[in-house]
Amino acid sequence: MQVLQEKQTSNNIQSSRIGLALSGGSVRGLAHIGVIKALSELGIKPSFIAGTSAGSLIGAGLASGMDWRDLTAMAESVFWPSLLNGKRLERFCAKHFPENFDQLKIPFAAMVTALPSKQAVTITNGHLASALNASCALRIIRRPVLREGQRLKDGGIACVLPSAVCRKLGAEFVIASDVWEFSSMLRSVGINSEHSNSHRMYPEHYRTALSNTDVFIQPFIPVSGCVPSRTAVKRMIAVGEQAAYRAFESMKTA
């Protein structure tokens, strides 16, 4: 019966143009791979992908044609803290992904923040590695990335969860995977999006993202999953997969 219900759910969703929004969250972004695994097992294929920071790396891989197994192998092949260095990150992107956006198999958007305005910028064309590098240029830790005359920083500053961008790309149904540490922390103390003080605690761009999300997935990230190792990668994938199945189960019983 559960398998039949899952098939019915995926069939209903498949009738729509699906957008997949992957949040920022540094190494926590590895849980996105588990979400992608669950979607694959449910037969759900995104028509559009948008990613911020770590989510842009996983999203670019999926848009390149990688499946969850390929993404897992990629994650296990690198010492993730090394990607905090911009030059190493661009070399990593050049090795694993196409050179330009127009070579991707699924329409993809990388979110960055323009300086000094701190406005969100959606990149959907041109050189891919430099866009991903900018999307991952963490505040304080990294210098801005110069790309096509703009100074760009981590997309999470202005748009940590790009659900609304999926809508703009053409998605009718948006699935969002949120591994942002700040939102996870607030929910752990009982302050969710429906809390009376949510408008004071959550930034406007995050509230906008939630209002543009149809299925919201928030993996519970164990501290042990953030220690660089193959075991940790597998643990992060597992929690992402579990969270995705929970979210779809909740949607069926709502």
Side-chain angles (χ1 to χ4, degrees), residues 33-112:
I33 300 174
V35 172
I36 291 167
K37 178 184 179 185
L39 296 182
S40 175
E41 291 171 347
L42 288 168
I44 298 172
K45 299 179 181 179
S47 301
F48 309 95
I49 303 167
T52 297
S53 196
S56 73
L57 293 179
I58 302 300
L62 183 61
S64 299
M66 294 182 179
D67 63 17
W68 70 269
R69 296 176 185 83
D70 300 321
L71 293 169
T72 299
M74 180 182 74
E76 291 176 344
S77 71
V78 65
F79 179 67
W80 280 86
S82 70
L83 299 185
L84 293 174
N85 178 279
K87 291 182 179 179
R88 282 197 291 266
L89 177 60
E90 288 216 20
R91 288 196 297 269
F92 173 85
C93 293
K95 176 182 177 181
H96 292 281
F97 309 138
E99 182 176 357
N100 296 310
F101 277 81
D102 60 11
Q103 296 171 295
L104 296 171
K105 296 182 179 181
I106 301 173
F108 169 70
M111 297 308 302
V112 300

Side-chain angles (χ1 to χ4, degrees), residues 20-24 31-32 35 161 175-179 215-219:
L20 177 61
L22 303 175
S23 81
H32 291 320
V35 172
L161 183 61
I175 300 167
S177 177
D178 176 22
V179 296
V215 175
F216 181 65
I217 302 169
Q218 190 183 42

Side-chain angles (χ1 to χ4, degrees), residues 10 15 56 93 96 106 128-129 159 169 180 196 230 236 249:
S10 67
S15 64
S56 73
C93 293
H96 292 281
I106 301 173
L128 181 60
C159 181
L169 290 175
W180 189 30
S196 59
R230 288 196 173 192
M236 296 286 263
E249 188 65 33

